[in-house]
Amino acid sequence: MLKPYRLSKEEKIDLGHFDPNDTGEIKSKDEIREEFEQLEHRLRELQDKLFAAKSHGVLILFQGMDCSGKDGVIKKVLSNLNPQGFRAESFKKPTADEATHDFLWRTHKVVPGKGFITAFNRSYYEEVLITRVHGMIKDDEAKSRLHHIRHFEQMLADSGVVVIKIFLHISPDFQLEKIRERLENPEKHWKFDLSDLEERQYWDQYQAAYEDVFRYTATKQAPWYIVPANERWFRDYLVLRIVLRAMEKLELSYPQPKIEVQALLEKLREEPQATEPPQDN
């Protein structure tokens, strides 16, 4: 099921060939309701083994245009994980201190350690997207950064960190509808940012920048997934399947105890059982 959405090698990508309304062969949310709950349960089981084994870290990276649902998918798909082993990181404009370091510095320091899962709401890819679209860096610098990113992700893979990269693909009409909803509903006013409207005029430039990102950084170790996101229920279902598939490939298991369990149990059985003191009449 995941193959049509997976990019794992260098090739020219045209986002126009991916339908943001796609739901595969599934017609409605009701068809996958029970399966979704089972998959959630399976994800919690795998997280428990990941936390216990401390053999790998899992980085789930979300990119997408404004209103593509990065916050929503993290809340829907990952909020049921054990918070002891999961955190979400969001990246805005670099602070003055962050801007004095290399462009990977602020994200590298929050990459998950072994046993942990981290979700990035936006990421270091913004340093070759918004910077390029708005002319902060030239094309040569963008390609240099993509080269560094590719090697950075290979280093993470070599260090035991699984990198799952997900692009939430929406249409411009869908984005406009979501912006209107935010303006019409007082409870969603807090979500509205004037920059959302301003950035819409750069839609085509962003699509081209993303296509270059996919072309130069999709690898076997760190593939990209183009997830249709106009239908929120399918977005959530597909993301859950993607994360599960990546974790299942790790063949996680609980670590073996460093003690002789059977001998310890026998010793405990040999200990005299405590008796209750006589009751006063």
Side-chain angles (χ1 to χ4, degrees):
M1 174 184 182
L2 301 181
K3 186 176 180 180
Y5 311 102
R6 188 174 189 267
L7 309 175
S8 59
K9 61 181 180 179
E10 285 193 30
E11 58 182 325
K12 188 170 178 58
I13 300 300
D14 183 350
L15 276 173
H17 294 161
F18 293 84
D19 181 6
N21 289 302
D22 179 31
T23 60
E25 297 180 356
I26 306 170
K27 303 303 180 184
S28 72
K29 182 179 181 179
D30 292 336
E31 290 183 33
I32 50 93
R33 190 183 304 276
E34 184 176 343
E35 181 189 0
F36 193 91
E37 293 178 358
Q38 294 171 350
L39 295 175
E40 284 183 309
H41 180 72
R42 174 62 176 156
L43 180 59
R44 288 192 293 270
E45 288 181 337
L46 290 174
Q47 185 204 13
D48 196 51
K49 291 180 179 180
L50 179 81
F51 189 77
K54 298 291 191 295
S55 59
H56 294 82
V58 176
L59 173 59
I60 310 167
L61 184 156
F62 293 99
Q63 288 286 158
M65 300 293 288
D66 294 324
C67 302
S68 60
K70 297 177 289 294
D71 287 322
V73 75
I74 292 172
K75 180 178 179 180
K76 179 64 177 178
V77 177
L78 303 174
S79 62
N80 286 327
L81 292 175
N82 185 337
Q84 290 187 91
F86 170 74
R87 74 173 183 267
E89 298 284 349
S90 182
F91 297 94
K92 304 295 183 181
K93 181 179 178 180
T95 64
D97 180 49
E98 289 169 344
T100 65
H101 293 81
D102 65 87
F103 77 97
L104 289 170
W105 180 78
R106 66 171 177 158
T107 46
H108 192 184
K109 64 181 181 177
V110 289
V111 166
K114 291 179 179 179
F116 295 86
I117 301 172
T118 297
F120 279 3
N121 182 338
R122 300 188 186 275
S123 68
Y124 42 86
Y125 279 101
E126 292 298 302
E127 303 298 338
V128 289
L129 289 165
I130 189 170
T131 53
R132 190 178 186 186
V133 168
H134 288 279
M136 302 175 194
I137 61 174
K138 297 185 181 299
D139 288 349
D140 287 347
E141 174 65 17
K143 290 180 180 179
S144 175
R145 290 187 178 190
L146 289 170
H147 175 79
H148 289 307
I149 286 173
R150 187 183 177 102
H151 285 282
F152 173 64
E153 291 175 345
Q154 183 62 58
M155 181 197 68
L156 293 182
D158 293 343
S159 302
V161 178
V162 178
V163 182
I164 306 168
K165 301 183 297 192
I166 296 172
F167 174 70
L168 302 176
H169 185 34
I170 59 172
S171 65
D173 289 344
F174 179 85
Q175 184 194 59
L176 184 58
E177 177 186 339
K178 288 299 176 183
I179 292 174
R180 284 173 177 159
E181 286 181 10
R182 293 177 180 181
L183 289 172
E184 292 170 355
N185 185 346
E187 294 182 358
K188 292 187 177 182
H189 284 175
W190 66 274
K191 288 187 174 183
F192 176 75
D193 191 316
L194 188 59
S195 66
D196 294 346
L197 282 176
E198 294 170 348
E199 290 296 291
R200 274 181 58 82
Q201 64 182 306
Y202 300 104
W203 184 277
D204 291 341
Q205 292 92 321
Y206 273 111
Q207 300 299 289
Y210 268 114
E211 288 168 357
D212 274 351
V213 162
F214 304 145
R215 179 181 179 183
Y216 291 111
T217 66
T219 65
K220 183 178 180 180
Q221 291 78 15
W224 273 100
Y225 290 90
I226 312 297
V227 172
N230 278 9
E231 294 291 347
R232 299 309 208 194
W233 61 267
F234 185 72
R235 172 204 69 185
D236 298 337
Y237 173 71
L238 192 56
V239 167
L240 182 53
R241 291 285 299 267
I242 290 167
V243 174
L244 267 176
R245 177 57 181 150
M247 293 184 67
E248 286 171 343
K249 289 173 68 175
L250 298 177
E251 299 182 349
L252 297 165
S253 61
Y254 291 109
Q256 293 299 311
K258 298 179 180 179
I259 57 174
E260 293 294 334
V261 175
Q262 289 303 320
L264 186 59
L265 285 172
E266 289 298 327
K267 183 178 180 180
L268 291 173
R269 292 191 187 102
E270 292 171 1
E271 289 189 7
Q273 298 294 315
T275 58
E276 294 185 5
Q279 299 293 324
D280 294 332
N281 292 329

